[in-house]
């Protein structure tokens, strides 16, 4: 039987794709990570302080005091093979916030004819 006083829920990994212009940063965090902690992780990579960053999910700004899970981001919605997208903007040198600008991801080229899977020949079925 579980001792409920000593039972702690384990925060699961959340996989995020933080995007700004042509830059994409892949981050894994815990469900209980705050937005401010996420900004600090981003600052370690971009060298832009958390005060000069804003994060958005579905065009809504994320509150630094809230947790990632408060925005519906959890192990079920942000998986390694399909990370959740977070938009990142910076404050420019004039103190103005840039707009959300995310370049579309490139598409792989079409496979050459010789590499496409051949359809089985129905004549051999006889």
């Amino acid at each position: 039987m579980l001792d409920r006083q000593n039972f702690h829920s384990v925060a699961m990994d959340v996989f995020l794709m933080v995007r700004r212009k042509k830059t994409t940063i892949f981050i894994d965090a815990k469900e209980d990570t705050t937005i401010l902690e996420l900004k600090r992780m981003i600052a370690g990579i971009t060298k832009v302080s958390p005060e000069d960053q804003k994060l958005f999910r579905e065009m809504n700004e994320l509150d630094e005091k809230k947790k990632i899970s408060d925005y519906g981001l959890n192990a079920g919605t942000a998986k390694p093979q399909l990370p959740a997208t977070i938009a990142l903007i910076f404050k420019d040198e004039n103190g103005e916030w840039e707009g959300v600008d995310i370049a579309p991801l490139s598409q792989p080229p079409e496979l050459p004819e010789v590499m496409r899977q051949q359809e089985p020949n129905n004549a051999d079925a006889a």
Side-chain angles (χ1 to χ4, degrees):
M1 188 163 167
L2 288 176
D3 179 2
R4 294 194 183 267
Q5 289 181 323
N6 293 325
F7 181 76
H8 298 286
S9 63
V10 177
M12 301 292 287
D13 283 332
V14 176
F15 295 87
L16 305 171
M17 186 167 49
V18 180
R19 303 205 52 219
R20 175 183 174 266
K21 299 184 180 186
K22 292 184 178 182
T23 301
T24 301
I25 302 167
F26 290 94
I27 294 180
D28 64 328
K30 299 293 183 189
E31 292 176 341
D32 60 358
T33 300
T34 65
I35 300 304
L36 180 57
E37 291 169 332
L38 181 60
K39 285 182 174 184
R40 288 180 181 143
M41 289 180 207
I42 294 167
I45 297 166
T46 64
K47 307 302 182 214
V48 175
S49 69
E51 299 81 29
D52 293 335
Q53 302 174 31
K54 284 187 180 181
L55 298 175
F56 293 83
R57 172 90 170 134
E58 298 171 354
M59 299 310 290
N60 296 312
E61 185 177 351
L62 306 184
D63 183 342
E64 289 185 345
K65 295 178 184 99
K66 291 190 175 183
K67 296 179 181 181
I68 292 173
S69 59
D70 293 334
Y71 293 99
L73 300 172
N74 55 52
T77 61
K79 303 173 184 178
Q81 67 273 26
L82 189 61
T85 300
I86 301 286
L88 169 66
I89 66 169
F90 293 148
K91 191 184 291 186
D92 66 20
E93 57 275 350
N94 298 326
E96 300 291 322
W97 291 102
E98 62 190 17
V100 173
D101 179 14
I102 298 175
L105 296 172
S106 63
Q107 296 294 321
E110 192 172 319
L111 283 175
E113 187 68 37
V114 296
M115 295 181 71
R116 292 185 193 156
Q117 191 173 31
Q118 300 294 320
E119 291 190 31
N121 188 347
N122 292 335
D124 293 338

